[in-house]
Amino acid sequence: MLLNSEKLVALITAIFVELKATTSDAKEVAEHLVTANLKGHDSHGVGMVPTYVSNILRGKCDVKSNPSLVQDDGAIMLIDAKMGFGQVAGRKAIDMAIQRLDQTGLVCLGVRNCHHLGRIGSYAERCSEAGYISIHFVNVVGHDPLVAPFGGKESRLGTNPFCCAIPRGNGPPIVLDMATSAIAHGKVRVAYMKDGGEVPNESLIDSEGNATQNPSVMFEEPLGSMLPFGGHKGYGLALICELLGGALAGKWTASKKSHEKDGFNIVNHMLTLIINPSIFGEKETFEEEVQNMIDYLKSTKTKNHNREVLVAGEPELDELATRSKTGISIDENSWEAIIKAAKDSGLSDKTITSILR
Ligand code: NAD
């Protein structure tokens, strides 16, 4: 079914407000999730709402938590989100760091103990809008690991996203924003929710280590594992995200088995470097060279003669343009789960119907 983005934002805002979040925090999280759908990442969109509601009801996500600045030392900043909404803490942390850039030219920012930061590209885009480069290393803990190390057949890592955005003088930033698993876990969920859905080759193994395209191995016992993207190279980058986001910023890696006693949660820790592109001299020369490189890439002949090559960030803008017009497509099972979550939060049928009318 196709849903209108404003109605989705209104419904999700109402759900979080019903669960005692402030209206502004609830709306910020709702807009973040809906924007993920609009940019083509259904894995990190409104399909996460049932998990968020469950986490809030089980006391795993504290909608009242205010992030605090626990270390403030010039270019070094550390923010503790204290298990509040990652979308709120992450955005506030990035805004604080951006303000600091004028004095320091570079900021090393840690954000720890976030309930799911969502689509990491949103923080990178905020830095680009302010004219800054940013690099983000994130780990995912709070639940059993999902990704097998290269050559292994048991999970040891989260889907640890890496993101880097480069602003451009003219034009949208380059935004490389990706899970270090072959596909994002949410995309396995989206495939699982669609009856008979499959994931691409070389994304999953079953509990015996055999390759499979069946998403159920990530949801039904005996559980299999996701694979890192690009074999040993993706595995290496996932490890770096684990160590910089997890060990350095969060002091919590997947090796800590806290999920076993605490029950399921999604916790992100993020290490971000934000860089003013003027630090090595004129920004204009940098911007010119970025543009030269993009032009050079796009001058290549392509297999599909109708289309030039893309740079990271462009597929999301294409999706945004399309989905802003068409609306957001949600499969029946996911929609049913969202409506159930709305009811679990305490919203009545009448309120849900009136919001969606
Ligand atoms: P993806 O594979 O769809 O895209 C990865 C990157 O490749 C993007 O930057 C995209 O612009 C670029 N890209 C795609 N097609 C391209 C093409 N044809 N040419 C050039 N560039 C191209 O992304 P993904 O790995 O599925 O990740 C989806 C989202 O999941 C991301 O936003 C990520 O931050 C998020 N995520 C979050 C968590 C978390 O715990 N918070 C964990 C994992 C992933």
Side-chain angles (χ1 to χ4, degrees), residues 6 27 52 58 64 74 77 83 91 114 131 159 172 177 179 222 230 233 235 241 250 258-259 296 330 350:
E6 280 103 40
K27 189 156 184 262
Y52 283 23
R58 290 179 303 113
K64 293 278 184 210
M77 303 173 86
M83 296 307 163
R91 193 266 310 152
C114 301
T159 55
D177 175 26
K233 300 184 189 187
Y235 163 48
C241 289
S258 53
H259 49 273
Y296 183 51
I330 298 181
K350 197 172 152 207

Side-chain angles (χ1 to χ4, degrees), residues 29 61 81 83-91 111 114-118 123:
V29 179
C61 171
M83 296 307 163
F85 281 129
Q87 287 88 346
V88 176
R91 193 266 310 152
V111 194
C114 301
H115 177 266
H116 201 227
L117 281 158
Y123 311 104

Side-chain angles (χ1 to χ4, degrees), residues 41 43-44 116-121 138-140 159-161 175-179 181 183-184 187 266 268 310-316:
H41 293 296
S43 55
H44 286 71
H116 201 227
L117 281 158
R119 190 179 68 89
I120 306 306
V138 182
N139 83 328
V140 197
T159 55
N160 297 359
V175 185
L176 176 65
D177 175 26
M178 56 183 219
S181 45
I183 61 170
K187 287 180 179 156
I266 311 180
N268 283 140
L310 301 176
V311 293
E314 287 183 333
E316 284 74 11

Side-chain angles (χ1 to χ4, degrees), residues 193-225:
M193 293 304 248
K194 284 183 192 153
D195 297 324
E198 285 196 331
V199 298
N201 258 326
E202 296 179 23
S203 313
L204 298 179
I205 49 175
D206 65 19
S207 60
E208 299 297 318
N210 303 311
T212 177
Q213 288 182 262
N214 184 347
S216 68
V217 300
M218 295 309 296
F219 299 94
E220 295 168 22
E221 297 283 350
L223 292 174
S225 296

Side-chain angles (χ1 to χ4, degrees), residues 25 28 38 76 114 152 163 183 204 211 324 344:
D25 285 358
E28 180 162 11
L38 287 172
I76 301 163
C114 301
C163 180
I183 61 170
L204 298 179
S324 300
D344 291 347

